[in-house]
Amino acid sequence: MTTRKIISSESVTEGHPDKICDQISDAILDAILKDDPDAHVACECFVTTGLVLVGGEITTSKICNIAYEKIIRETIKEIGYNDSSIGFDYRGCAIINTVHSQSEDIAQGVKKNKVEDQGAGDQGIMYGYASNETPEFMPLPITLAHKLTMKLTEVRKNGTLPFLRPDGKSLVAVEYENDKPIRVEAIVIAAQHSENVTNEEIEAGLKKEVIKPVVPADLIDDNTKIFINRTGRFVTGGPHGDAGLTGRKIIVDTYGGVDSHGGGAFSGKDPSKVDRSASYAARYVAKNVVAAELSDKCEVQVAYAIGEPKPLAVNIGCFGTEKVPIEILKEAILSVFDFRPGSIIEHLQLKRPIYQKTSCYGHFGRDLPEFSWEKTDLVEILKQKVKELQ
């Protein structure tokens, strides 16, 4: 029997208010990690018209002279908010800093002399996912949505479409037949723009310079719907149009709603926070399982108690696509990979200042040298271990 369904995922540009906050939080984290890789950081940000507020808990083992204001203004400038006429300006916005040190009650559960004894920075449930439906081992809807917003930013910054402004978002709906993507049902783009451009110019420009180069032609047919700036006007955007917060785009950051999410955000958190590090580890393991052709899809779930190094539980699910029994696959994974936070941090080299690059266009499915969790270097080891266990 043929089964059909439509799966939709969205992405947002780096000029979206929530993404401004993610970038600022991760830029501050990177600046601290450059001076002190062992720092404990939980940096949050809020933006609105003319204002940036940063807060949270930061504790360092050495003196770190962090120029918060400079980092914040440079981040906003790089995004493209450089003129008050577009509603937000890196030079003129007010900045309030309310950062303070981490609670010692929390710190004592994380600080350990041995790497393997380091406790989880908080309780929580983390998920990682991979699918063989794209070369990136990601669901197709979120992959296309991210590529559209990346292209929106590219053609804005290089001047191809000079009427574009930093804020924007995309949504892609993909039709699946028997769990395989067969066509794009709909493409939705909302792009902030200048005052002096017509809707016809915007639509023509985005179809030619954004959609056509990104979405494969064989996935678009006569029934594919394309919606561009359907309100008819998107001049007021960014923090002037909507307030933003760190960590409010957790589905955009992960798998576009295709897989489960434990609820914890990533940006602004150092890797002692398992919200971030264990989610990266779970993705790393799931991707290697699928790359090893041990399943077509894989979900890894890990749960932790604060202060405890060993996870409470590790669960593996393959949605019926596994090529070997799940119990054998789970045993192989647990014998190959160590899910204790200290071991994750060490194996994936997560104390590096690499996080601002993660804060836009997804933490997963991007082939960047800093993204150690995207490597497929466990493939042969997993294959061999499964073979030994069978």
Side-chain angles (χ1 to χ4, degrees):
M1 186 179 82
T2 300
T3 60
R4 292 178 181 268
K5 62 183 176 181
I6 294 174
I7 297 177
S8 305
S9 297
E10 70 165 345
S11 177
V12 297
T13 66
E14 59 201 58
H16 186 281
D18 294 330
K19 277 296 155 195
I20 295 172
C21 294
D22 286 344
Q23 289 167 91
I24 289 172
S25 294
D26 274 337
I28 291 170
L29 170 63
D30 282 350
I32 293 168
L33 291 179
K34 283 178 186 176
D35 288 346
D36 183 5
D38 296 315
H40 289 171
V41 181
C43 182
E44 310 288 346
C45 181
F46 165 77
V47 296
T48 187
T49 304
L51 174 66
V52 179
L53 170 66
V54 291
E57 303 80 46
I58 295 175
T59 298
T60 60
S61 59
K62 57 180 73 173
I63 296 175
C64 297
N65 295 313
I66 304 303
Y68 288 97
E69 183 171 330
K70 181 180 179 183
I71 293 167
I72 292 166
R73 294 194 191 280
E74 286 182 350
T75 301
I76 297 169
K77 178 184 178 182
E78 178 59 29
I79 292 168
Y81 286 109
N82 52 17
D83 192 325
S84 59
S85 66
I86 62 175
F88 203 66
D89 186 352
Y90 76 95
R91 288 163 294 203
C93 61
I95 295 173
I96 300 174
N97 182 353
T98 64
V99 169
H100 58 86
S101 61
Q102 184 185 47
S103 163
E104 277 301 316
D105 294 349
I106 296 174
Q108 67 181 356
V110 177
K111 297 174 183 176
K112 301 292 181 182
N113 292 327
K114 294 182 179 180
V115 168
E116 60 269 26
D117 292 335
Q118 178 177 327
D122 202 351
Q123 69 177 47
I125 308 161
M126 293 80 204
Y127 289 88
Y129 177 80
S131 166
N132 63 5
E133 67 186 69
T134 64
E136 297 87 358
F137 294 93
M138 290 287 285
L140 181 60
I142 189 66
T143 299
L144 291 177
H146 282 320
K147 287 181 178 180
L148 286 170
T149 51
M150 290 176 76
K151 182 61 75 171
L152 264 180
T153 297
E154 178 187 323
V155 298
R156 170 177 64 87
K157 287 187 171 183
N158 67 19
T160 300
L161 296 179
F163 56 78
L164 289 178
R165 297 295 179 258
D167 200 355
K169 54 174 61 177
S170 70
L171 184 146
V172 178
V174 174
E175 183 178 0
Y176 285 70
E177 182 179 280
N178 296 333
D179 272 346
K180 301 294 182 183
I182 59 168
R183 59 180 291 275
V184 171
E185 168 69 15
I187 298 167
V188 183
I189 295 179
Q192 186 189 11
H193 57 85
S194 62
E195 188 85 52
N196 57 344
V197 62
T198 66
N199 290 335
E200 291 74 21
E201 288 174 309
I202 295 169
E203 187 164 336
L206 294 190
K207 284 181 177 178
K208 178 184 177 182
E209 303 294 346
V210 177
I211 295 173
K212 187 175 180 180
V214 166
V215 184
D218 61 349
L219 291 178
I220 296 179
D221 57 30
D222 292 340
N223 294 318
T224 299
K225 307 172 191 69
I226 298 177
F227 304 105
I228 295 174
N229 284 14
R230 295 300 284 180
T231 66
R233 178 181 168 88
F234 189 3
V235 173
T236 302
H240 187 50
D242 191 10
L245 288 169
T246 299
R248 202 158 58 174
K249 286 290 178 283
I250 59 176
I251 301 303
V252 170
D253 285 344
T254 52
Y255 307 103
V258 169
D259 193 50
S260 303
H261 197 295
F266 302 154
S267 290
K269 297 177 181 177
D270 76 87
S272 72
K273 279 73 173 174
V274 284
D275 282 337
R276 184 166 221 159
S277 55
S279 294
Y280 289 0
R283 160 65 178 176
Y284 174 60
V285 171
K287 184 176 180 180
N288 275 269
V289 167
V290 176
E293 298 183 347
L294 296 170
S295 69
D296 295 336
K297 301 177 185 179
C298 183
E299 176 189 83
V300 177
Q301 181 205 64
V302 195
Y304 292 90
I306 189 168
E308 291 295 319
K310 291 185 178 180
L312 299 176
V314 177
N315 292 307
I316 311 298
C318 297
F319 310 94
T321 70
E322 62 271 14
K323 307 298 191 292
V324 298
I326 285 288
E327 288 308 313
I328 287 179
L329 184 56
K330 180 177 178 179
E331 188 176 347
I333 289 169
L334 292 177
S335 66
V336 167
F337 192 78
D338 189 343
F339 284 94
R340 289 176 294 181
S343 298
I344 290 171
I345 292 166
E346 188 172 64
H347 186 97
L348 297 179
Q349 299 177 291
L350 296 181
K351 290 186 177 182
R352 297 169 294 152
I354 58 173
Y355 295 105
Q356 190 175 356
K357 285 188 177 182
T358 70
S359 58
C360 287
Y361 313 117
H363 293 245
F364 310 123
R366 296 163 64 197
D367 186 18
L368 297 175
E370 296 88 350
F371 287 31
S372 54
W373 51 93
E374 290 297 314
K375 293 180 180 178
T376 52
D377 52 354
L378 296 183
V379 166
E380 296 305 321
I381 302 171
L382 280 171
K383 284 182 177 179
Q384 181 60 36
K385 182 57 66 173
V386 166
K387 187 176 179 180
E388 292 172 4
L389 292 170
Q390 284 181 310

